[in-house]
Each structure stands twice: as structure tokens, then as C-alpha cells.
Amino acid sequence: MTHTDFIPYGRQSISDEDIAEVVSTLQSDFLTQGPRVVEFETTLAKKVNARYACAVNSATSSLHLACLALGVKDGDYVWTSPNTFIASANCARYCGAHVDFVDIDPNTYNMSIEALEKKLILAKQQDRLPKVVIPVHFAGQSCDMQAIAKLAKQYGFRVIEDASHAIGAKYQNKYVGNCEFSDICVFSFHPVKIITSAEGGMAVTNDENLAKHMKTHAHQGTTKDPDELTQVPGDWYYEQHTLGFNYRMTELQAALGLSQLSRLDDFIKQRHQQFQRYQVLLKNLPITLPFQAESSTSSLHLFPILLPKQYPKTRKAVFDDLRNAGIGTQIHYIPVHNQPYYQQFGFKLGDYPVAEDYYQRTLSLPMFVGLTKQQQERVALVLRDALVKNGVVL
Ligand SMILES: *Cc1c(COP(=O)(O)O)cnc(C)c1O
């Protein structure tokens, strides 16, 4: 097996135009803060139809800033999905809040609305209602945001969408990020995600105060806005008003992000073509393919399949067989509450049975821009062989 035969589960697509944009920015006057970051923010906000955007160095930073802007502090409760990357939970811990989880829906693998409502009723009785809930648009498919917004109103919590997987996805025919049903929505531009800026993240919101709060905190707690300064002795002047961080995005990252953003529609189209091909190639296998809700159009960040319940021990074998045949798969996700760090807060195996069962049986097949038809056929063949070998297919 040569290295070039290996098919990863996900990877970036970098074009000559992307490279040219980064090189020309490298030759410009600004490497850190400059016109490209602002252009990336305004272009993305316009694309998803949000009023304000704040670009930073990662989605993790965005989530942290979003929690801070919504006033999350020591002793507050923040709820998210256990079926996510740890960053969706860690952001609340940075603010000293307690993290709690809501089990997932067995079809969409997103936060279950039923479980959320049940947990809210109980939390209200116990006076432990969350300040913020962070639904995660798993694999690029939007959560049922209208239902979440309704519960937010009823129970008085705020909503941060973790849309790290979901740039370019639509919910009710509108782009995820328009914040119709949330306070803030966060995107990631890590290379495995839909578009990349190498590292990078962006939060969008329709609330000017939240946007200002996030901006200030991303820039060491400083401001240069004349309306906010106590005095304006000269052009050099800025003031620190609060304790912030250095979460800035660079011009190089923004140049790459902008160029990638111009390719977003094509990326989503290609992912949908791949999805259709997998539907055909895998249709006779006894596995569950990703469910697509009618109310949304997924950005298809991942293609998680589910092995049948009757074969609880086969996942590792299938995973290893695929890897050994040069097909990179990955598991999304190890339930966050099962991480040793979170177990110190009392979480244990069995707390979120749907997410745990899903974790035991899932496997993400390769899905990325540039994945060819031939490669998908190879994935399907090797997967079939692995299922035969492990007794799932006779
Ligand atoms: C990737 C990811 C993040 C973190 O993104 P970074 O840009 O790497 O910080 C957060 N949440 C989810 C669901 C992710 O997949």
C-alpha cells in the first residue's frame, strides 16, 4: 500500500486560487489585523444572513467568547449534546460553569427535543435551569431549532448553535447562521470541516451588544471605538475595559477562509453527490445510513454509518479492517460525559444511553471534496468484505 492509496475520512481541498490569495496577502502590508479579516466577516455574515460576525483563531475560542457574552459564569449551568467534540462542553468550563448533557435523538444523532424538554421540567423543579443550551448540528444537519427556541423562551435560557459542521447547511430553507432561533451561531474552519482557514472560527449574531462583547474579548479586552472611549487624545489611543484574550484571526487565515467561502456552494454540491453515490453503493448492506430531515439540508460534513445492534462487538473489527485496507474512518464521537475529565463531575457510563449505544456502533466513512467515484466504490467493497468477514453479512 503506497501512501497515496490511503483514503482519509476527511481532508481539506486547497486550490491554486486559495494559494494565490494567501501568497498575495503574505506580500501585503498586513499579516495579522487588516482588511481581509473584516472582509471575511462581512462576506460570511452576508452569506448566512446574520448582522454581525466576529472572526477568531478557532471555533473553540468562538464558543468561549459566546459563553462569556451571554454572561456564563461560576455556578451557572450550560447544557450541550454528549455526541460532540469536547470543545462544545469545554467552553462552559472555561467560564466556571457546570456542564450537563441532553441525550441524542436516535435518528438524527442531534440533541433530542423530547429529552431536552424532560430535563427542563425536572431542572425547573430543582431550580437548576441552564443559562445557556448549546445544540450541535451533528454531521452538518441542523437541530430542530424552532423547537429549541420555543423551549428557550418558555424556560428562559439562551442558545448558542455549535455549527462547526454546518456552514452551508440550511434549516427551513435558510442558511444556518441567520440566528433566527438562537443568540449566537459558531462556525469552525479547521481543515477537516467544510471550509478551512487552517485554524479559525467565527461567531455570528444579530445582537450588536453580543457582537461587541465578543470582539472586545477577542482583542485583550480593548476597544478603539470612539463611542466607547473615555477620551480621544489621538489616533494611537485605545483603552482596555475588561480582561480579554488574544483570540485574533490572522490576515493569512482570513485570505484562505475567504477564498474557500467562495467555493462553499460547490463543496456542498460535491458532498451531496457523494452522499447520493453512497446511498446506491451501500443500499444492500445491513447498516443504517445517515438520516436526512425534511426541514433541513445538511452540509454533510460527515457520513456516519451505524452497524446493526445484533453485532455489538464488530465495530472495532470493521474499523481495523478498513484502516488496514487503506481506508481512514473515524468515530464521531466518544460521548463527552465518558471522558475522564468529565467523569470527575460524577458522569458515568449509562447516563446518556442513546449517545452511548450510537458511539458503540458508529463509523464515519470518507467524505470530502475531491473524493472520487472510484474511491467510494473501493470504500463500499472493502466495507462489504469487512462486514462479511465479521459475520454481519452472510
Ligand atoms: C471542530 C469542532 C469544534 C472546535 O473547532 P476548532 O475550530 O477546532 O476549535 C467545536 N465543536 C464541534 C462540534 C467541532 O466539530
Side-chain angles (χ1 to χ4, degrees):
M1 173 85 36
T2 62
H3 174 72
T4 48
D5 286 336
F6 188 80
I7 307 173
Y9 88 85
R11 60 158 297 150
Q12 68 277 17
S13 160
I14 302 295
S15 67
D16 290 347
E17 288 76 21
D18 292 340
I19 292 168
E21 288 297 324
V22 174
V23 170
S24 88
T25 303
L26 193 52
Q27 291 162 333
S28 75
D29 290 340
F30 303 100
L31 296 187
T32 54
Q33 297 300 284
R36 307 296 264 161
V37 173
V38 177
E39 196 186 341
F40 189 24
E41 288 173 336
T42 49
T43 310
L44 191 144
K46 196 168 166 215
K47 173 88 183 168
V48 303
N49 199 21
R51 264 188 222 127
Y52 307 97
C54 175
V56 292
N57 57 4
S58 74
T60 304
S61 302
S62 292
L63 287 165
H64 182 198
L65 294 175
C67 283
L68 288 173
L70 292 174
V72 174
K73 56 183 188 318
D74 247 17
D76 285 335
Y77 285 88
V78 172
W79 295 0
T80 188
S81 168
N83 182 35
T84 186
F85 185 57
I86 49 177
S88 320
N90 289 349
C91 56
R93 292 293 309 136
Y94 299 152
C95 306
H98 303 289
V99 171
D100 207 346
F101 302 93
V102 179
D103 209 348
I104 60 170
D105 179 280
N107 291 317
T108 63
Y109 321 137
N110 277 330
M111 180 181 281
S112 156
I113 302 301
E114 212 173 82
L116 175 61
E117 186 159 22
K118 260 194 198 150
K119 198 176 174 92
L120 285 165
I121 291 168
L122 198 67
K124 190 171 181 185
Q125 290 164 2
Q126 299 173 338
D127 204 20
R128 286 157 59 109
L129 281 169
K131 179 172 265 180
V132 171
V133 173
I134 308 179
V136 180
H137 303 318
F138 178 72
Q141 176 158 255
S142 177
C143 297
D144 186 352
M145 291 310 300
Q146 190 163 8
I148 290 170
K150 194 170 159 221
L151 291 170
K153 207 165 177 192
Q154 191 179 345
Y155 288 92
F157 60 83
R158 312 291 292 271
V159 179
I160 301 169
E161 293 173 75
D162 185 343
S164 291
H165 299 182
I167 186 133
K170 288 183 175 174
Y171 175 66
Q172 296 182 347
N173 282 319
K174 292 175 216 158
Y175 278 114
V176 166
N178 69 11
C179 296
E180 185 176 347
F181 300 111
S182 68
D183 295 284
I184 298 171
C185 178
V186 168
F187 299 110
S188 171
F189 312 122
H190 184 279
V192 297
K193 308 293 164 71
I194 303 281
I195 62 170
T196 190
S197 61
E199 290 275 8
M202 204 180 306
V204 290
T205 181
N206 292 328
D207 183 318
E208 188 180 2
N209 290 326
L210 293 178
K212 272 190 181 160
H213 194 286
M214 291 191 284
K215 276 248 159 81
T216 303
H217 283 76
H219 293 80
Q220 308 277 15
T222 61
T223 181
K224 285 188 103 168
D225 183 346
D227 295 342
E228 293 174 9
L229 298 176
T230 59
Q231 48 168 315
V232 189
D235 267 358
W236 69 84
Y237 193 70
Y238 61 88
E239 282 176 359
Q240 183 189 357
H241 287 173
T242 183
L243 188 63
F245 309 89
N246 176 0
Y247 279 172
R248 293 183 300 246
M249 175 179 275
T250 69
E251 286 284 284
L252 301 181
Q253 290 170 306
L256 179 56
L258 256 172
S259 184
Q260 291 257 307
L261 186 58
S262 73
R263 303 171 63 200
L264 175 63
D265 293 341
D266 180 52
F267 284 0
I268 302 290
K269 208 168 110 195
Q270 286 195 42
R271 286 173 179 275
H272 277 267
Q273 279 166 357
Q274 291 169 18
F275 183 87
Q276 296 305 332
R277 275 194 214 127
Y278 271 144
Q279 297 266 57
V280 176
L281 288 167
L282 305 175
K283 72 167 183 287
N284 295 321
L285 297 181
I287 56 175
T288 307
L289 301 183
F291 170 86
Q292 299 297 293
E294 259 177 41
S295 58
S296 65
T297 309
S298 176
S299 55
L300 296 174
H301 166 51
L302 300 169
F303 193 87
I305 61 164
L306 203 57
L307 297 172
K309 260 197 175 57
Q310 309 85 286
Y311 303 92
K313 297 232 149 56
T314 52
R315 201 273 308 275
K316 181 184 169 357
V318 172
F319 178 93
D320 289 344
D321 285 352
L322 287 167
R323 276 275 171 107
N324 291 335
I327 293 167
T329 65
Q330 193 45 273
I331 308 301
H332 301 96
Y333 284 99
I334 305 161
V336 178
H337 70 283
N338 291 153
Q339 292 290 351
Y341 173 78
Y342 282 95
Q343 303 227 316
Q344 71 176 301
F345 305 111
F347 296 107
K348 55 189 187 316
L349 215 61
D351 283 348
Y352 304 98
V354 185
E356 290 171 21
D357 170 64
Y358 168 76
Y359 163 60
Q360 291 300 328
R361 298 192 286 129
T362 191
L363 196 67
S364 296
L365 297 184
M367 176 82 114
F368 55 88
V369 171
L371 178 70
T372 64
K373 185 162 172 276
Q374 289 74 16
Q375 286 175 317
Q376 286 191 276
E377 284 163 1
R378 197 174 120 213
V379 171
L381 276 176
V382 173
L383 176 63
R384 166 175 280 281
D385 285 351
L387 292 175
V388 170
K389 190 176 146 203
N390 292 287
V392 181
V393 178
L394 294 178

